[in-house]
Amino acid sequence: MGLKVLVIGSGGREHVIAQKLIQSPLVEAVYCAKGNPGMKQDGIRLVDIEEDAHEALIRFAEESQIDWTFVGPEVPLLNGIVDDFEAAGLKIFGPKKAAAMIEGSKDFAKNLMNKYAIPTAAHQTFFDFKQAKEYVERKGAPIVIKADGLAAGKGVVVAETVEQAVDALEDMLEGNRFGASGAKVVVEDFLSGEEFSLLAFVRGTEVYPMTIAQDHKRAFDNDKGPNTGGMGAYSPVPQISQEMVDEAIATVLLPAAEGMVKDGCPFTGILYAGLIATPQGPKVIEFNARFGDPETQVVLQRLTSDLAEIISDLLEGKQPTIDWKQEGFSLGVVVAADGYPNDYDKGAVLPDFTALEDARVYYAGVAESNEQLVSNGGRIYLIEAEGESLAQAQQRVYELLDSKDTAGTFYRTDIGSKAMR
Ligand code: AMP
Ligand code: GLY
C-alpha cells in the first residue's frame, strides 16, 4: 500500500506539488483541498473543503487515512493549521503558526534579521504617521513602504518620490485600506540590483537549499504596471553567481533557521528568501514561510529526487536525499485574465492543453462549465517548458501560447528575457 497524501491549497503551486507527489512510486493517491478542476487531468483528487476549515480537514485526513499533509499557501499556516493537525496526532509538513510569523509580520522578520545580523535593507518600524513622515522626509527617495501583515502582495509601495512615500504612509497608517495589517508600517531603504528567490527545505537547524529562481512581479513587459502575485519565473538564474547563492545560504538561510530554533520557534517547512544581489552581497527583501507561486512551477522541474520521499524523510527525522539537475533551464509564463490585478471578467473558455509534448500546464483560477475549463480567477494557468538554454525554454512556451486562442487573457512576452540580454 502506497502513501495517501493531502495537499492544502488550490493554485498552480499546489498543482505542481500534487503532480510531483503523484509521480512518486511511493504514493498511491493525492488529494487536494480544495484544489481546482484543472488538476483532475493529472489524477489529483479534489476535496471540497475550504482551507480554513481545520476541523473538517482533520476529519477528512482521519477518515481517509491520509499519511501526511502538505500545506501550500501562507494563510492556513498563519491560521495555525500545522498546530491543529499536530494536536490531533496527524503528520503535516509546514511551519507552526509561531514560525510562520517570519512571513506574517514584517516586523517579526526584521527583528530576527537584526538580532542575527542577517543582511537586509536599513529600516525602521512606525505606528505613527507623523513620525514616519518625518523619517521619510529625512531619508529621501527612492524608499520602500511596507504594511506589517499579510497583504497579498499589495502591501509594498516602492516610492520614487518623497511625496509618493508620504501618500503611501497616509494610506496605510491613517486610512483603512489595509485594515489591521496597515496599523504598523516598516519603512526601508531602496535596494537596487537583480532579484532572486532562494528556497530551502528546512527542519530546525537543517537547511537544504533548492535551485534559485527569478519571479516577475509586475503585470506588464519591461517590469511596468502594478505588482502582482507573479507573472512568470525561470530557474536557475544565470546572472546570479554561485558565490552569491553560497553567500545567501551562509548569511541568510542558516542564521535564520538557527535563530528561530534559539528563539523557541523552530521552523520546519519551506523557507523562502526574496533577495536582492547588491554590490555588498545578497540582502533580504522578504521571507515567506512556503513555496512561491510561480517559482515552484519551475523549481520543482529541476528536482531529480522524489518529492514524496523527501517530505516523508523530513517528517520521520531521516536524512533526506535532495538532488538537482545541473544542466538546462525551466521557464514558466502565467496567463492572467484581462484586467488583473484589478477587476477582471471570468468565464473565458480556455484552450485545450491535453497531450502537450515538451511543455506542462499548471492550473490556478479555473472552473468547469459544460465539461470545459473556463477562467475563474486573476492568474488562470501557467505554461512551463524546459530547454538546454533559457532561450530554448522560452521559445517553447511562447510558441505554444502563440498557437492558441487566448482571447480575454494576457501574458507577459518577456519572461526570462532579462537573463539573455
Ligand atoms: P515583496 O512583496 O516584499 O516581495 O515586495 C514586492 C516587490 O517590491 C519586490 O519584488 C521588489 O521588487 C520590491 N521591493 C521590496 N522591497 C524592496 C527594497 N527594499 N528595495 C527595492 N525593491 C524592493
Ligand atoms: N511569487 C512570489 C511569492 O510567492 O510570494
Side-chain angles (χ1 to χ4, degrees), residues 200-216:
F201 297 94
V202 174
R203 177 174 59 193
T205 57
E206 294 165 69
V207 171
Y208 303 98
M210 304 189 200
T211 299
I212 62 169
Q214 188 174 66
D215 188 9
H216 296 63

Side-chain angles (χ1 to χ4, degrees), residues 7-21 30-36 39 44 51 70-74 290-293 296-297 300 362-364:
V7 176
I8 310 276
S10 60
R13 164 183 54 205
E14 288 76 24
H15 189 170
V16 69
I17 291 166
Q19 184 198 57
K20 294 297 162 193
L21 293 174
V30 177
Y31 298 85
C32 192
K34 57 196 261 157
N36 70 64
M39 295 178 176
I44 298 156
E51 59 190 47
F70 187 99
V71 189
E74 63 276 17
R290 49 159 177 89
F291 268 118
D293 190 340
T296 312
Q297 289 89 316
L300 287 184
Y362 296 107
Y363 288 103

